[in-house]
């Protein structure tokens, strides 16, 4: 295929590197010198060049001119909806057409989603023109666009299929009964001969089958014939050749029987008509099943509110969600869906975020709390300040991530695509070989045998099943992942996760809560817990140290009042002291208590246990008496131990990478049952440690949440980011866990294993089906059993093949995650 060039028209190109009006002039001058360019307008604000051409211009020349002037044209990603694809061969042809467009670096086409993702510098209109030149339809999909239009188009397509199927069935049934009934039931054969006669029966079959073939069956001719003329046959072409051969032969037998060898004037109208009906049935069932594969996306889109109640000076009123702007104050009543991301400015309530994070317990929201659009406000009224609207909301980004993952291709698909590109021509060659073999070497009537078997070969071949085997499983698998709070940013992560041998975990914020908290407080029998905690917290509230703040926060959380402190003093290297309600309170290390002359032996066992757990104990004294032993640590998340157990049950090794001391790290590892510990690692050293683990164990998945985890996430074979982490970490990851805890890791790995297993089942079926039944259709069993496969049964088998693949993929909708019990407990 020659490289497409722009027709005389206009095109827009992004330009990077411009800083002033002089830059604009230089870019305009450089582009104006390109042959064929009529006029150029460059906008500094939008950083775009509007180029009007008077003749065909290669975009590569325009890019070269901009780069020569010292500026650059960035690669962009464009999404196209592709119409008219019916099988894997279509996918290959659309990809080939897109890659031939000048400026395209990569192009990926997905049969299940009927979308193309194109990376490069090509103009949108060129891409659409290339697809149309290949015989398909295309239009751009805008980022964050509403799916209503696409849903309506799908529903209209399904309605048209249903209508054509009914019409075809009504027309085909009498034909089938007249011909096959006469073959199977001798009495019925005699009835037809004695009433309307054989010739009139054939004339009636001719009329009905012609109406079926050139009415509902015309859709196959509209796609299949142009594909044949372009020498790029597809599934429709096989149907056209098979049905046309059966119908054309029958027409000759009906009206010009003398042209055929003696004894071969038979009709196969029922084959042509029933083939159309059965293939339409298969397409209809396939369309319905495809709809179910994208239900996860539909459910996510359904979470988006249509309107929002916004406060204005003259009162609150409902407006369309698209009209809400950042900074608007939105009122949310009990039971309503929160329309946008925002911050609570007034009110208290509980919000059900299960549809976003997978966490079943509603979360308390008060002034200053963050809320996510699409979640449900439960029992209180809230006023929120909109912080993100439209495509910037968390829900919109989740939908976009799921769509990207569903449109991606796994490495396993590359081989399938190479095979299917040549599949249809190979089937046509097999049909021709079958015809010639039967015609020259078959029994009498050889022509009839040759025709029937060639048609059966054309009809039974099913590239659809091969094309749908991988993408449908990816669609359902990634959709189910979204429902479980696991977002696959890249579809390839599905295959790579399945091959993972070791999971490397960052400690802070991943295994632990990520902030210090009071974990232990053991009080001497002469004191009460509340009394001691209130006194200690009052003193520590004067300090900015994280440990001190953790103690103060624990007291407030327990509803204790922090009283006024006098004579606060920091004793360097020992601790702090102050007067609280007339009592002297001293808090510090064991050496502080020794300095005060206090015996800490009563807490020896507790101190030893805390040491084993990697915690450093503090002691408190009130009025010169030992009062308590205290420990503050970054507590392990409640969900972490069960998640580690689940990873071990999946046969994986677990490693922890942390900057903590070896002693603390080993204590945490013992508590959780972690296999390998890499401690005292500086942020810049994480990548080297990940590389070392990869060298020793093979494929590695790294789980982290912070900015300092981004390089390690990128180095790992699969990077998994905790959804509550930083944007940088999430951008570096292949998988995002929305729920913010480790439970998503075993869920993601188990889902990866189930999805890859499902894909292999689909591919085995698709290839085994075609490998086994094409020879059967060609008559390979006839010399041994005398059996031949009727084209009608071949059409039925072909229709069911695609439906089987889709049905098998849909089983993933019922995938049960290993951590479901813990999540919902």
């Amino acid at each position: 295929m020659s490289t497409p060039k722009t027709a005389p028209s206009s095109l827009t190109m992004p330009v990077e590197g411009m800083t002033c009006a002089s830059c604009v002039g230089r870019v305009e001058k450089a582009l104006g010198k390109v042959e064929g360019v009529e006029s150029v307008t460059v906008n500094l604000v939008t950083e775009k060049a509007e180029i009007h051409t008077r003749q065909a211009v290669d975009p590569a020349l325009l890019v070269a001119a901009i780069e020569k002037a010292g500026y650059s044209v960035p690669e962009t990603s464009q999404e196209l909806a592709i119409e008219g694809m019916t099988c894997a061969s279509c996918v290959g042809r659309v990809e080939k057409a897109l890659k031939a467009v000048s400026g395209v670096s990569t192009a990926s086409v997905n049969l299940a989603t009927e979308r193309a993702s194109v990376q490069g510098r090509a103009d949108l209109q060129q891409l659409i023109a290339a697809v149309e030149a290949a015989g398909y339809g295309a239009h751009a999909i805008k980022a964050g666009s509403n799916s209503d239009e696409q849903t309506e188009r799908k529903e209209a397509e399904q309605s048209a299929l249903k209508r054509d199927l009914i019409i075809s069935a009504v027309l085909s049934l009498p034909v089938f009964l007249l011909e096959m009934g006469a073959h199977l039931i001798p009495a019925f054969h005699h009835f037809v001969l004695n009433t309307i006669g054989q010739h009139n029966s054939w004339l009636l079959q001719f009329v009905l089958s012609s109406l079926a073939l050139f009415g509902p069956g015309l859709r196959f001719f509209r796609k299949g014939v142009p594909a044949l003329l372009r020498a790029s046959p597809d599934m429709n072409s096989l149907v056209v050749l098979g049905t046309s051969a059966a119908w054309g032969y029958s027409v000759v037998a009906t009206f010009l029987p003398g042209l055929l060898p003696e004894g071969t004037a038979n009709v196969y109208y029922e084959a042509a008509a029933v083939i159309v009906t059965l293939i339409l049935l298969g397409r209809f069932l396939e369309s319905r099943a495809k709809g179910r594969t994208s239900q996860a996306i539909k459910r996510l889109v359904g979470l988006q509110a249509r309107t929002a109640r916004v406060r204005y000076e003259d009162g609150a009123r409902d407006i369309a969600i698209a009209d809400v702007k950042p900074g608007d104050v939105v009122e949310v009543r009990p039971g309503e869906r929160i329309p946008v991301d925002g911050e609570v400015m007034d009110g208290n309530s509980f919000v059900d975020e299960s549809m976003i994070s997978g966490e079943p317990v509603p979360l308390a929201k008060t002034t200053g709390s963050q809320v996510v659009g699409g979640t449900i406000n439960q029992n209180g009224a809230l006023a929120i300040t909109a912080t993100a609207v439209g495509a910037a909301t968390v829900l919109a980004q989740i939908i976009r991530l799921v769509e990207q993952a569903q449109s991606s291709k796994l490495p396993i698909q590359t081989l399938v695509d190479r095979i299917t590109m040549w599949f249809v021509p190979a089937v046509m060659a097999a049909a021709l070989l079958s015809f010639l073999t039967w015609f020259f070497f078959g029994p009498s009537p050889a022509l009839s045998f040759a025709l029937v078997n060639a048609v059966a070969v054309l009809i039974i071949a099913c590239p659809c099943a091969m094309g749908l085997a991988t993408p449908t499983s990816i669609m359902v698998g990634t959709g189910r992942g979204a429902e479980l709070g696991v977002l696959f940013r890249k579809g390839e992560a599905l295959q790579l996760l399945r091959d993972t041998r070791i999971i490397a975990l960052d400690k802070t914020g991943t295994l632990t809560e990520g902030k210090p908290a009071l974990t232990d407080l053991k009080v001497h029998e002469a004191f009460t817990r509340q009394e001691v905690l209130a006194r200690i917290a009052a003193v520590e509230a004067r300090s900015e140290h994280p440990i001190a703040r953790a103690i103060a926060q624990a007291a407030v959380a327990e509803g204790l009042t922090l009283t006024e402190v006098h004579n606060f003093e920091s004793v360097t290297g020992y601790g702090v002291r102050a007067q609280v309600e007339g009592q002297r309170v001293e808090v510090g290390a064991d050496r502080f208590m020794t300095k005060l002359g206090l015996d800490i032996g009563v807490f020896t066992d507790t101190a030893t246990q805390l040491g084993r757990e990697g915690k450093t104990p503090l002691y408190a004294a009130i009025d010169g008496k030992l009062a308590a032993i205290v420990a503050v640590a970054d507590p392990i998340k409640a969900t972490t131990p069960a998640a580690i157990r689940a990873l071990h049950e999946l046969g994986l090794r677990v490693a922890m990478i942390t900057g903590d001391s070896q002693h603390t790290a080993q204590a945490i590892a013992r508590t959780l049952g972690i296999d390998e510990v890499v401690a005292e690692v500086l942020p810049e050293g994480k990548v080297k440690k990940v590389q070392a683990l990869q060298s020793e164990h093979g494929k590695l998945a790294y789980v982290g949440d912070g900015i300092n985890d981004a390089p390690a996430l990128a180095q790992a074979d699969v990077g998994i980011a905790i959804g509550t982490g930083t944007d940088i970490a999430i951008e570096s990851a292949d998988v995002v866990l929305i729920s913010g805890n480790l439970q998503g890791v075993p869920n993601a790995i188990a889902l990866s294993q189930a999805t890859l297993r499902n894909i292999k089942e689909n591919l085995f079926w698709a290839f085994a089906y075609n490998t086994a039944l094409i020879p059967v259709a060609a008559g390979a069993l006839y010399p041994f059993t005398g059996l031949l496969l009727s084209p009608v049964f071949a059409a039925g088998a072909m229709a069911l093949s695609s439906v089987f693949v889709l049905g098998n993929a849909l089983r993933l909708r019922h995938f049960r995650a290993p951590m479901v019990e813990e999540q919902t407990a």
Side-chain angles (χ1 to χ4, degrees), residues 270-293:
E270 88 288 347
V274 175
I275 284 168
V276 168
T277 302
L278 288 173
I279 293 175
L280 285 173
L281 173 63
R283 293 266 174 99
F284 176 68
L285 294 174
E286 186 180 308
S287 175
R288 286 182 60 184
K290 273 187 187 175
R292 288 198 291 274
T293 62

mmCIF file of all heavy atoms in Angstrom, residues 270-293:
data_model
loop_
_atom_site.group_PDB
_atom_site.id
_atom_site.type_symbol
_atom_site.label_atom_id
_atom_site.label_comp_id
_atom_site.label_asym_id
_atom_site.label_seq_id
_atom_site.Cartn_x
_atom_site.Cartn_y
_atom_site.Cartn_z
ATOM 1 N N GLU A 270 -31.624 -24.370 -0.352
ATOM 2 C CA GLU A 270 -31.755 -24.398 1.122
ATOM 3 C C GLU A 270 -30.413 -24.099 1.779
ATOM 4 O O GLU A 270 -30.356 -23.465 2.845
ATOM 5 C CB GLU A 270 -32.323 -25.742 1.597
ATOM 6 C CG GLU A 270 -31.328 -26.854 1.875
ATOM 7 C CD GLU A 270 -30.696 -27.439 0.604
ATOM 8 O OE1 GLU A 270 -31.199 -27.156 -0.510
ATOM 9 O OE2 GLU A 270 -29.697 -28.165 0.724
ATOM 10 N N ALA A 271 -29.304 -24.543 1.144
ATOM 11 C CA ALA A 271 -27.977 -24.257 1.718
ATOM 12 C C ALA A 271 -27.728 -22.756 1.738
ATOM 13 O O ALA A 271 -27.342 -22.188 2.769
ATOM 14 C CB ALA A 271 -26.897 -24.969 0.918
ATOM 15 N N ALA A 272 -27.983 -22.079 0.605
ATOM 16 C CA ALA A 272 -27.748 -20.634 0.535
ATOM 17 C C ALA A 272 -28.604 -19.885 1.550
ATOM 18 O O ALA A 272 -28.128 -19.014 2.275
ATOM 19 C CB ALA A 272 -28.036 -20.134 -0.888
ATOM 20 N N ALA A 273 -29.904 -20.233 1.610
ATOM 21 C CA ALA A 273 -30.832 -19.496 2.486
ATOM 22 C C ALA A 273 -30.547 -19.770 3.961
ATOM 23 O O ALA A 273 -30.485 -18.851 4.782
ATOM 24 C CB ALA A 273 -32.271 -19.876 2.146
ATOM 25 N N VAL A 274 -30.353 -21.037 4.300
ATOM 26 C CA VAL A 274 -30.151 -21.387 5.711
ATOM 27 C C VAL A 274 -28.794 -20.902 6.203
ATOM 28 O O VAL A 274 -28.663 -20.504 7.369
ATOM 29 C CB VAL A 274 -30.322 -22.908 5.923
ATOM 30 C CG1 VAL A 274 -29.996 -23.292 7.355
ATOM 31 C CG2 VAL A 274 -31.753 -23.323 5.581
ATOM 32 N N ILE A 275 -27.791 -20.917 5.325
ATOM 33 C CA ILE A 275 -26.473 -20.379 5.712
ATOM 34 C C ILE A 275 -26.606 -18.918 6.128
ATOM 35 O O ILE A 275 -26.082 -18.483 7.162
ATOM 36 C CB ILE A 275 -25.453 -20.533 4.557
ATOM 37 C CG1 ILE A 275 -24.996 -21.992 4.457
ATOM 38 C CG2 ILE A 275 -24.250 -19.612 4.757
ATOM 39 C CD1 ILE A 275 -24.220 -22.309 3.195
ATOM 40 N N VAL A 276 -27.323 -18.132 5.331
ATOM 41 C CA VAL A 276 -27.543 -16.715 5.674
ATOM 42 C C VAL A 276 -28.222 -16.597 7.034
ATOM 43 O O VAL A 276 -27.815 -15.806 7.891
ATOM 44 C CB VAL A 276 -28.387 -16.017 4.577
ATOM 45 C CG1 VAL A 276 -28.866 -14.646 5.062
ATOM 46 C CG2 VAL A 276 -27.577 -15.878 3.298
ATOM 47 N N THR A 277 -29.254 -17.410 7.249
ATOM 48 C CA THR A 277 -29.998 -17.345 8.515
ATOM 49 C C THR A 277 -29.121 -17.716 9.700
ATOM 50 O O THR A 277 -29.107 -17.020 10.726
ATOM 51 C CB THR A 277 -31.215 -18.287 8.461
ATOM 52 O OG1 THR A 277 -32.042 -17.907 7.356
ATOM 53 C CG2 THR A 277 -32.025 -18.221 9.744
ATOM 54 N N LEU A 278 -28.372 -18.811 9.560
ATOM 55 C CA LEU A 278 -27.555 -19.267 10.685
ATOM 56 C C LEU A 278 -26.412 -18.298 10.993
ATOM 57 O O LEU A 278 -26.074 -18.070 12.165
ATOM 58 C CB LEU A 278 -27.000 -20.661 10.401
ATOM 59 C CG LEU A 278 -28.039 -21.797 10.453
ATOM 60 C CD1 LEU A 278 -27.424 -23.107 10.002
ATOM 61 C CD2 LEU A 278 -28.607 -21.946 11.866
ATOM 62 N N ILE A 279 -25.826 -17.717 9.958
ATOM 63 C CA ILE A 279 -24.734 -16.770 10.211
ATOM 64 C C ILE A 279 -25.283 -15.484 10.828
ATOM 65 O O ILE A 279 -24.658 -14.891 11.715
ATOM 66 C CB ILE A 279 -23.926 -16.508 8.928
ATOM 67 C CG1 ILE A 279 -23.196 -17.797 8.541
ATOM 68 C CG2 ILE A 279 -22.934 -15.369 9.115
ATOM 69 C CD1 ILE A 279 -22.448 -17.744 7.258
ATOM 70 N N LEU A 280 -26.464 -15.063 10.386
ATOM 71 C CA LEU A 280 -27.106 -13.917 11.027
ATOM 72 C C LEU A 280 -27.427 -14.229 12.492
ATOM 73 O O LEU A 280 -27.281 -13.365 13.364
ATOM 74 C CB LEU A 280 -28.390 -13.526 10.289
ATOM 75 C CG LEU A 280 -28.203 -12.790 8.955
ATOM 76 C CD1 LEU A 280 -29.556 -12.618 8.255
ATOM 77 C CD2 LEU A 280 -27.568 -11.415 9.186
ATOM 78 N N LEU A 281 -27.846 -15.468 12.748
ATOM 79 C CA LEU A 281 -28.111 -15.872 14.131
ATOM 80 C C LEU A 281 -26.819 -15.791 14.957
ATOM 81 O O LEU A 281 -26.831 -15.272 16.088
ATOM 82 C CB LEU A 281 -28.662 -17.306 14.161
ATOM 83 C CG LEU A 281 -28.842 -17.925 15.564
ATOM 84 C CD1 LEU A 281 -29.874 -17.143 16.370
ATOM 85 C CD2 LEU A 281 -29.244 -19.399 15.449
ATOM 86 N N GLY A 282 -25.732 -16.294 14.389
ATOM 87 C CA GLY A 282 -24.446 -16.230 15.090
ATOM 88 C C GLY A 282 -24.021 -14.801 15.354
ATOM 89 O O GLY A 282 -23.579 -14.464 16.458
ATOM 90 N N ARG A 283 -24.188 -13.917 14.350
ATOM 91 C CA ARG A 283 -23.817 -12.503 14.513
ATOM 92 C C ARG A 283 -24.684 -11.831 15.585
ATOM 93 O O ARG A 283 -24.201 -11.014 16.370
ATOM 94 C CB ARG A 283 -23.990 -11.760 13.186
ATOM 95 C CG ARG A 283 -23.037 -12.179 12.087
ATOM 96 C CD ARG A 283 -21.791 -11.290 12.051
ATOM 97 N NE ARG A 283 -20.834 -11.812 11.078
ATOM 98 C CZ ARG A 283 -20.702 -11.328 9.839
ATOM 99 N NH1 ARG A 283 -21.466 -10.328 9.437
ATOM 100 N NH2 ARG A 283 -19.791 -11.833 9.038
ATOM 101 N N PHE A 284 -25.971 -12.191 15.606
ATOM 102 C CA PHE A 284 -26.887 -11.601 16.594
ATOM 103 C C PHE A 284 -26.493 -12.034 18.013
ATOM 104 O O PHE A 284 -26.400 -11.211 18.925
ATOM 105 C CB PHE A 284 -28.329 -12.014 16.282
ATOM 106 C CG PHE A 284 -29.331 -11.537 17.300
ATOM 107 C CD1 PHE A 284 -29.622 -10.181 17.447
ATOM 108 C CD2 PHE A 284 -29.989 -12.441 18.131
ATOM 109 C CE1 PHE A 284 -30.521 -9.742 18.392
ATOM 110 C CE2 PHE A 284 -30.898 -12.009 19.085
ATOM 111 C CZ PHE A 284 -31.172 -10.652 19.213
ATOM 112 N N LEU A 285 -26.260 -13.348 18.181
ATOM 113 C CA LEU A 285 -25.855 -13.844 19.505
ATOM 114 C C LEU A 285 -24.499 -13.250 19.908
ATOM 115 O O LEU A 285 -24.271 -12.915 21.072
ATOM 116 C CB LEU A 285 -25.772 -15.374 19.490
ATOM 117 C CG LEU A 285 -27.104 -16.112 19.292
ATOM 118 C CD1 LEU A 285 -26.861 -17.609 19.156
ATOM 119 C CD2 LEU A 285 -28.068 -15.829 20.448
ATOM 120 N N GLU A 286 -23.608 -13.110 18.929
ATOM 121 C CA GLU A 286 -22.283 -12.535 19.183
ATOM 122 C C GLU A 286 -22.416 -11.074 19.621
ATOM 123 O O GLU A 286 -21.747 -10.625 20.556
ATOM 124 C CB GLU A 286 -21.477 -12.625 17.890
ATOM 125 C CG GLU A 286 -20.032 -12.197 17.994
ATOM 126 C CD GLU A 286 -19.334 -12.340 16.646
ATOM 127 O OE1 GLU A 286 -19.406 -13.422 16.029
ATOM 128 O OE2 GLU A 286 -18.728 -11.350 16.216
ATOM 129 N N SER A 287 -23.308 -10.338 18.957
ATOM 130 C CA SER A 287 -23.522 -8.928 19.298
ATOM 131 C C SER A 287 -24.041 -8.786 20.721
ATOM 132 O O SER A 287 -23.595 -7.926 21.483
ATOM 133 C CB SER A 287 -24.507 -8.306 18.301
ATOM 134 O OG SER A 287 -24.814 -6.988 18.663
ATOM 135 N N ARG A 288 -24.974 -9.663 21.090
ATOM 136 C CA ARG A 288 -25.515 -9.616 22.454
ATOM 137 C C ARG A 288 -24.437 -9.962 23.480
ATOM 138 O O ARG A 288 -24.332 -9.327 24.534
ATOM 139 C CB ARG A 288 -26.688 -10.585 22.593
ATOM 140 C CG ARG A 288 -27.949 -10.106 21.905
ATOM 141 C CD ARG A 288 -29.093 -11.070 22.117
ATOM 142 N NE ARG A 288 -29.412 -11.228 23.528
ATOM 143 C CZ ARG A 288 -30.336 -12.081 23.995
ATOM 144 N NH1 ARG A 288 -31.005 -12.838 23.139
ATOM 145 N NH2 ARG A 288 -30.588 -12.162 25.263
ATOM 146 N N ALA A 289 -23.639 -10.973 23.165
ATOM 147 C CA ALA A 289 -22.573 -11.379 24.091
ATOM 148 C C ALA A 289 -21.515 -10.290 24.211
ATOM 149 O O ALA A 289 -21.008 -10.020 25.300
ATOM 150 C CB ALA A 289 -21.941 -12.680 23.613
ATOM 151 N N LYS A 290 -21.181 -9.625 23.093
ATOM 152 C CA LYS A 290 -20.219 -8.527 23.132
ATOM 153 C C LYS A 290 -20.713 -7.422 24.054
ATOM 154 O O LYS A 290 -19.944 -6.801 24.778
ATOM 155 C CB LYS A 290 -20.006 -7.954 21.723
ATOM 156 C CG LYS A 290 -18.938 -8.651 20.913
ATOM 157 C CD LYS A 290 -18.735 -7.862 19.637
ATOM 158 C CE LYS A 290 -17.811 -8.567 18.675
ATOM 159 N NZ LYS A 290 -17.725 -7.840 17.390
ATOM 160 N N GLY A 291 -22.016 -7.175 23.998
ATOM 161 C CA GLY A 291 -22.605 -6.167 24.880
ATOM 162 C C GLY A 291 -22.378 -6.507 26.334
ATOM 163 O O GLY A 291 -22.105 -5.637 27.160
ATOM 164 N N ARG A 292 -22.470 -7.805 26.647
ATOM 165 C CA ARG A 292 -22.292 -8.214 28.046
ATOM 166 C C ARG A 292 -20.824 -8.124 28.466
ATOM 167 O O ARG A 292 -20.531 -7.926 29.639
ATOM 168 C CB ARG A 292 -22.808 -9.634 28.258
ATOM 169 C CG ARG A 292 -24.333 -9.721 28.216
ATOM 170 C CD ARG A 292 -24.829 -11.001 28.860
ATOM 171 N NE ARG A 292 -24.491 -12.183 28.087
ATOM 172 C CZ ARG A 292 -25.229 -12.666 27.087
ATOM 173 N NH1 ARG A 292 -26.341 -12.061 26.749
ATOM 174 N NH2 ARG A 292 -24.852 -13.753 26.441
ATOM 175 N N THR A 293 -19.886 -8.266 27.506
ATOM 176 C CA THR A 293 -18.471 -8.176 27.879
ATOM 177 C C THR A 293 -18.110 -6.766 28.332
ATOM 178 O O THR A 293 -17.160 -6.581 29.083
ATOM 179 C CB THR A 293 -17.537 -8.564 26.706
ATOM 180 O OG1 THR A 293 -17.727 -7.658 25.618
ATOM 181 C CG2 THR A 293 -17.783 -9.980 26.248
#
